[in-house]
Every structure is written in C-alpha cells, then in structure tokens.
Amino acid sequence: MRTLPNDAAIISCAVTGAIHVPTMSPHLPVTPEEIATAAIEAAEAGASIVHIHVRDPETGEPITDLDLFRQVATRIHEETDVIVQPTTGGAPTMAPEERVRVVPELEPEMASCNMGSINFGLYPLLEKYDEFEYDWEAEYLEGTRDLIFRNTFDDLESMLPVFDEYGTKPELECYDVGHLYNAKHMVDRGFIEPPLHLQFVLGIHGGIGGDGENLTHMYRIAETLFGNDFSFSVIGAGRHEFPRAVQALDLGGHVRVGLEDNLYLRPGKLAESNADLVAKAVDLTRDLTGRDIASPKQVREFLELTGKDATDL
Ligand code: KMH
Ligand code: ZN
C-alpha cells in the first residue's frame, strides 16, 4: 500500500450528501452558502478534501444543479486551499449521465466515482421519525425500497473517460468486495490509471456491513489485487463512523467523516457542525495513532492531482 512520506493521514469531510434529510438534523447544510461555509470550516478543522453534493436551497432535496455546484465550489476554492471533490454519485435516484456532468463543468482535481451497482436502502430510517418537515422526505426515503443505485460496467465505461479527459482523479467508492474486483477490471482495461485511491464504504443498507472484519477483508483483498499501487480511505456509515475510522488509521489508511455519512458526534448527541466531526477525527488520529494530519499540498502530491489552477473555478 502507498503511504505519504511522513505517514500522515488524509481526513476528508463529506458535508451534506444525499442520504440524510433536513428533518433528521437542523445542522445539515442545505443552501449553497451553508454548504460552502461547512466545507470551509471543515478545512480549517483539518480536512484536506471536502466532498460536495448540492441540495435545493428551498427544500433541501438532493439535486444536480450545476450552477449550485459552481457557487459552492468557487467560494471554497477562493477561501481555502482544500481539495474540492464533487460527487458523481449524486443521489441513488439520479442517472449516471446526469451525475457525471459536474466533471466537465468544474474540471475538478478529484471527484468520487462509484464502482458498482447496489441496493441503497434508506427506508429503514423512516421508522425513527414520526413526521417530516418537507413533503418530499418520506417519499424519497420510501422510494429506496425499490431502487438500484446504478453503476453498471457500461456506465463506468462512459463515466471514467470523462474523468480522464478533464484530468480529474477518481476516488473509487467501493460498497462491497465485488466493487474492488470491478475496479481491478477497469484498471486492467486501462480505464483507471494508478495511483489508485479507494474508498471502502461500510454500513450502507445494501452494501457490505459496518463490522470491523469487513474492513479488514476489504483491505486484504485490495492488497491482493493492487499490491503497492493503492491507498484507501474508509467511510463507516452512521454509528460505524468513528470505530471504522480508528481501525482504518491503525491499518495505515485514511478517513472520511461528515454529516453525509453520520449525524452524531457521539451516541445520542447530534453533531452541531461538520467541523466538530473533523476535529474529533483529528484528535483520534493524533491521540490514538500518533500520525500527522496531511495538508492539501501533501495530498495533491501524494495523489498526483493536477492542482487548483487546473480546475475551471
Ligand atoms: N454516499 C456515500 C455512501 C458519492 O457521492 O459519489 C458515498 C458517496 C458517494 O459519497
Ligand atoms: Zn457523496
């Protein structure tokens, strides 16, 4: 596995996403101003990558509005040195060709790229809430009972060349072990260039579970498939966020936190900001592992990113 020269840990922050709905937390950023502010605060707290989705500013519904992406990304770009990583996962309800449009629009240094199709069940969250603030929320969650988050081989063959054309590094989101084999297949066929940066996503209902054994297994299989040519970061969804973060750090990997993946700072206590989640990840990294926190500059060198100036921001 590849490591940074000083074994520093990369902390990413996913500030809003498309999993949670506004009823679930008053702290979920919704407007472009809120999303950009959350990302800037996360960078100040120690994140070197901020992962961005956008939402309808009036209702909080996940959308793929390119003007909103541009507003958010431009402000972050102007006010910080952090790596702006837009999603091409969007929401499970969106088609791949719609989701990838953010890459030609912003020419970002990096963007997420989802390595396979899964059920993406958000409907179990319905049980936790008696009523919802906005009409779309319950229907959105219920709709995932009969929904496939689509990333077929044909979709990957269409999306990955777009990353290549605009010099955008794909962060390879793997929700199950099979997705690692999909990634290997696309590498072997020349659709993905090393160095690979994988994201192991654990605990999505429809993907691999959040148990620690699964993380160890994904790491071992990645080593088998990619040898020394990869690095990895980990998302533990919901209550799995910090236990899997600590395990990932201990394995020499990197971590993602943020309100996209988890709303709680600790059991029963909502996180009041993305920055609070980043600060906790920073403390755990330093206190439990003694590893340094990677700066955006170090991450750009490590992942061989094109740099801020190469973006269209
Ligand atoms: N929603 C997360 C489970 C993406 O946006 O492309 C993974 C993710 C994927 O952030
Ligand atoms: Zn995302």
Side-chain angles (χ1 to χ4, degrees), residues 257-269:
V257 295
L259 295 175
E260 170 164 350
D261 306 324
N262 162 45
L263 297 173
Y264 289 85
L265 190 60
R266 65 179 81 92
K269 165 87 175 113

Side-chain angles (χ1 to χ4, degrees), residues 17-19 51-54 62-64 69 85-103 111-116 120 140 147-151 159 163 171 173 175 256 260:
I19 290 178
H51 173 79
I52 302 298
H53 292 238
V54 291
I63 51 175
T64 51
F69 267 116
Q85 182 203 78
T87 178
T88 71
T93 45
M94 297 166 187
E97 55 273 20
E98 181 186 0
R99 292 167 5 209
V100 80
R101 283 166 53 218
V102 70
V103 172
S112 61
C113 186
N114 294 270
M115 294 313 294
F120 206 116
Y140 178 74
L147 184 83
I148 293 169
F149 179 38
R150 186 194 152 129
N151 300 285
M159 290 173 87
F163 283 71
E171 178 184 77
E173 315 293 323
Y175 298 77
R256 180 172 117 172
E260 170 164 350

Side-chain angles (χ1 to χ4, degrees), residues 127-178:
E127 288 170 17
K128 297 188 178 178
Y129 303 89
D130 292 332
E131 49 188 55
F132 286 91
E133 200 176 332
Y134 297 97
D135 290 344
W136 64 271
E137 295 176 293
E139 198 181 326
Y140 178 74
L141 299 173
E142 177 57 32
T144 64
R145 194 184 295 272
D146 188 25
L147 184 83
I148 293 169
F149 179 38
R150 186 194 152 129
N151 300 285
T152 65
F153 289 111
D154 190 49
D155 295 330
L156 294 175
E157 286 170 10
S158 305
M159 290 173 87
L160 284 163
V162 181
F163 283 71
D164 197 38
E165 184 177 348
Y166 292 94
T168 301
K169 176 94 184 165
E171 178 184 77
L172 308 175
E173 315 293 323
C174 298
Y175 298 77
D176 215 323
V177 187

